[in-house]
Amino acid sequence: ERDACAVVSERMEFVYLNAAARGLVRRGEWFGKRCFEALAIADATCAFGCPKIQAVNESSDLVYCEETVFLEDEGWRVFGVGLIPLGAAHDDHGRAILLLRSKEGCLGQSAFQSQLLTDARSLARRVL
């Protein structure tokens, strides 16, 4: 299974989604929509205290967090998210890359989180 990758602006607006990430969004348009507008997420109030928005705007380090998304064919599914801040200097308005990986079948939180962050670091080296 391919990981879902998304590039977001400073307000968590989608500017790029790979095919796996497009499979997570609600039907319809996603470009320029904030993550909580395009994804059917469990916490509809997340925009008021979203740790991902804070990390995009304040952090230079990778951040791990989780998101619960409703998928029409599968129900609720938990994803680990490796957030890779890109900084403010990008001309294309991309401020972060989100690497999403399903936690379904995950054998241990610590190992899962460690591997996701390792893979996110590898992705950051390739992209940056």
Side-chain angles (χ1 to χ4, degrees), residues 3-103:
D3 290 325
C5 288
V7 178
V8 295
S9 70
E10 66 188 33
R11 293 184 49 219
M12 298 303 289
E13 296 165 334
F14 289 126
V15 295
Y16 169 81
L17 298 177
N18 71 358
R22 286 191 303 272
L24 301 177
V25 298
R26 295 176 183 157
R27 293 187 182 151
E29 297 294 318
W30 56 264
F31 184 84
K33 293 200 184 230
R34 291 174 288 189
C35 56
F36 57 86
E37 295 170 325
L39 298 171
I41 56 175
D43 182 7
T45 64
C46 72
F48 300 110
C50 179
K52 292 178 281 306
I53 292 174
Q54 182 177 356
V56 166
N57 291 318
E58 298 175 8
S59 179
S60 60
D61 295 328
L62 277 85
V63 175
Y64 177 85
C65 50
E66 294 184 356
E67 194 67 68
T68 303
V69 178
F70 184 79
L71 304 175
E72 288 184 20
D73 298 339
E74 302 176 41
W76 292 103
R77 197 165 179 196
V78 179
F79 289 85
V81 180
L83 185 141
I84 306 164
L86 298 175
H90 285 73
D91 292 336
D92 63 2
H93 303 289
R95 293 290 301 273
I97 297 172
L98 304 178
L99 177 64
L100 293 90
R101 181 173 294 159
S102 175
K103 290 190 70 178

Side-chain angles (χ1 to χ4, degrees), residues 94-115:
R95 293 290 301 273
I97 297 172
L98 304 178
L99 177 64
L100 293 90
R101 181 173 294 159
S102 175
K103 290 190 70 178
E104 191 171 274
C106 167
L107 296 177
Q109 174 67 22
S110 180
F112 176 84
Q113 182 174 337
S114 176
Q115 185 61 54

